[in-house]
Amino acid sequence: VPFVAAAIFAVHPAQTEAVAWVASLPELTFTLAGLLALWLEIGARSRPDRTSTAALAAFGLALLAKETAVVVPVLLASWELTGTGTSWSALRAAGRRVRPYLALTGVYLAIRQAILAAANLRNLDDWHPTALEAVAGAGVLVRDYLSVLLLPDELDHWRRFRPADFQWSVEGGSVLFALGVVGAAVWVARRRRIARFGLALVALPLAPAFYVSLGRGTPPAERYLYLPMVGFALLGALTLQAMASRPRLHLIAVATF
């Protein structure tokens, strides 16, 4: 599974923008540092004699690279909850374990807000979507990002996105189909912890991109898929493993890889 996941991550065409475009350097840096923080923290939790100081340092580096790194504490909590469930006691335990990361995030956000206030930066976009437009726009984004992951045949560094023009017609049907695929993936992955965490790796890092894109004409960008691609590659490897374990699907799994 690790080898197949790494191969999918390395050769997926959607990685081109993040790797080839110099402006995507923050994506590469925060992804590397964020994954390092996850690896160090999860490893430290399995060994009581190790501390998470190195993981906190890696997380700090990820925050300095790009603000999207604020999802790392949520990913750590999701790793805990995928293994222990979502009971009140499990939620409290996960909260205690990510508390240092949340504190560091709070310090970072306070400094960031102070800098932005001192620079007197304003949001020049005066368009504010209604609740229906926001929901419709989120559905369009799910469809667009899912199509890049599954059928990366029309890659583009600049995509038009107008949620206000969304119509419940052919486009609406494609969005509903994409949401159905996501629902099916959640249902299939419910039995394996690593699969549930893979889904979290896909969905959670994309949440800030959804917030950014819900403005008129703001395009979804393929570079935002760099960290989610880790989760997608993991899910792809797990899918091929499940297919290979069944005689009737073994050849299909080999041919797909």
Side-chain angles (χ1 to χ4, degrees):
V1 171
F3 173 79
V4 175
I8 294 174
F9 180 84
V11 304
H12 198 287
Q15 304 286 54
T16 303
E17 180 183 352
V19 174
W21 192 26
V22 66
S24 298
L25 183 60
E27 299 288 338
L28 306 181
T29 307
F30 109 81
T31 298
L32 174 62
L35 290 176
L36 179 61
L38 287 171
W39 179 67
L40 290 172
E41 179 61 28
I42 293 173
R45 290 174 185 177
S46 63
R47 301 180 184 179
D49 57 321
R50 293 177 58 182
T51 65
S52 59
T53 304
L56 277 172
F59 175 55
L61 178 61
L63 286 173
L64 293 176
K66 190 170 184 178
E67 58 270 21
T68 311
V70 297
V71 302
V72 171
V74 186
L75 288 172
L76 287 172
S78 69
W79 171 257
E80 295 294 332
L81 296 176
T82 53
T84 60
T86 56
S87 64
W88 178 245
S89 59
L91 290 172
R92 291 179 59 185
R96 288 193 300 269
R97 287 165 181 164
V98 301
R99 191 178 302 166
Y101 296 89
L102 295 178
L104 186 56
T105 301
V107 172
Y108 164 78
L109 292 176
I111 295 174
R112 180 178 183 273
Q113 182 60 34
I115 294 174
L116 293 177
N120 196 26
L121 297 177
R122 296 181 301 170
N123 183 8
L124 300 179
D125 186 4
D126 59 356
W127 181 77
H128 302 283
T130 65
L132 179 59
E133 288 171 344
V135 172
V140 172
L141 286 171
V142 169
R143 182 204 60 190
D144 289 348
Y145 282 120
L146 189 63
S147 65
V148 172
L149 289 172
L150 297 177
L151 299 170
D153 58 338
E154 295 184 2
L155 302 179
D156 194 345
H157 74 289
W158 188 263
R159 298 170 179 268
R160 298 302 297 167
F161 173 62
R162 296 183 179 275
D165 298 334
F166 178 82
Q167 300 292 331
W168 291 101
S169 55
V170 175
E171 186 177 19
S174 65
V175 170
L176 291 177
F177 177 77
L179 294 177
V181 172
V182 173
V186 172
W187 184 80
V188 171
R190 73 192 189 283
R191 295 182 179 180
R192 296 191 63 178
R193 180 185 189 183
I194 190 65
R196 295 194 298 271
F197 185 62
L199 286 175
L201 274 172
V202 174
L204 294 177
L206 271 179
F210 275 49
Y211 174 78
V212 170
S213 294
L214 285 178
R216 184 185 294 267
T218 304
E222 291 153 15
R223 64 183 180 275
Y224 297 151
L225 287 171
Y226 194 69
L227 178 54
M229 188 65 69
V230 177
F232 177 78
L234 179 59
L235 292 173
L238 292 172
T239 301
L240 291 175
Q241 182 191 46
M243 294 172 62
S245 64
R246 299 184 179 183
R248 294 183 179 180
L249 301 178
H250 179 77
L251 292 179
I252 297 178
V254 173
T256 302
F257 178 70

